[in-house]
Amino acid sequence: MVEANHMNSEEKCCTINSERKSHHSPEVKKNLTSRLNRIEGQIRGIKGLIEKDTYCDDVITQIAAAQSALNSVSKILLEGHLKHCIVERVQDGDEEVVDELLTTIKRLMK
C-alpha cells in the first residue's frame, strides 16, 4: 500500500493544526469507501434475510462474511496507521503512542 504525503512543513502526518486527522491517499480512500459500501449492502441483505425468516445458519454465515469484510477494512487502516502515524510519533519522541496502539489492537481482537 503506497500513500503520497503532500503536507507542508508545519503539518505532521496525523496532526494538522493540533487536530488529529488521517492522511489516506485518494486511492486508499476510494478502496476503503468501496469496501464499506459493499459491507453496507451486506448488512442490508442480512436485514432482509431476517425479515424473510431465513434459516438462522444462513443468516449467521452472512453475518460472519460481513464481520470478515469489516476486519479487512480494519487491517488496511491499521497498516497505514502503523507505517505512518505510529512511526512518526515514535520518531518525534512520543512513546505514549505505543500504549494507544496496544489499546487499539486489544479493541480489534475482541
Side-chain angles (χ1 to χ4, degrees):
M1 176 167 58
V2 177
E3 294 185 33
N5 192 349
H6 304 288
M7 288 172 244
N8 67 42
S9 60
E10 294 179 20
E11 295 176 341
K12 290 293 191 179
C13 174
C14 297
T15 306
I16 300 172
N17 299 325
S18 74
E19 183 180 346
R20 290 174 15 155
K21 295 264 189 182
S22 63
H23 60 281
H24 308 292
S25 70
E27 295 82 17
V28 171
K29 280 186 182 181
K30 184 177 179 181
N31 179 11
L32 291 170
T33 300
S34 176
R35 288 171 180 267
L36 290 168
N37 286 338
R38 283 194 302 272
I39 293 166
E40 188 176 27
Q42 284 179 295
I43 300 302
R44 281 193 304 271
I46 292 167
K47 182 180 174 187
L49 293 175
I50 298 289
E51 290 169 349
K52 294 178 197 170
D53 296 322
T54 302
Y55 185 62
C56 295
D57 191 58
D58 295 337
V59 177
I60 291 168
T61 298
Q62 293 306 310
I63 290 170
Q67 287 173 326
S68 177
L70 278 171
N71 286 339
S72 293
V73 170
S74 292
K75 288 175 190 175
I76 292 167
L77 288 168
L78 183 60
E79 179 182 347
H81 188 55
L82 280 168
K83 288 183 175 181
H84 300 284
C85 301
I86 300 297
V87 168
E88 181 180 286
R89 288 175 62 186
V90 168
Q91 288 172 344
D92 286 347
D94 180 2
E95 294 184 16
E96 290 179 12
V97 72
V98 175
D99 291 330
E100 177 186 296
L101 175 61
L102 290 171
T103 300
T104 299
I105 291 171
K106 287 175 187 174
R107 215 176 310 131
L108 286 172
M109 295 179 78
K110 283 186 178 180

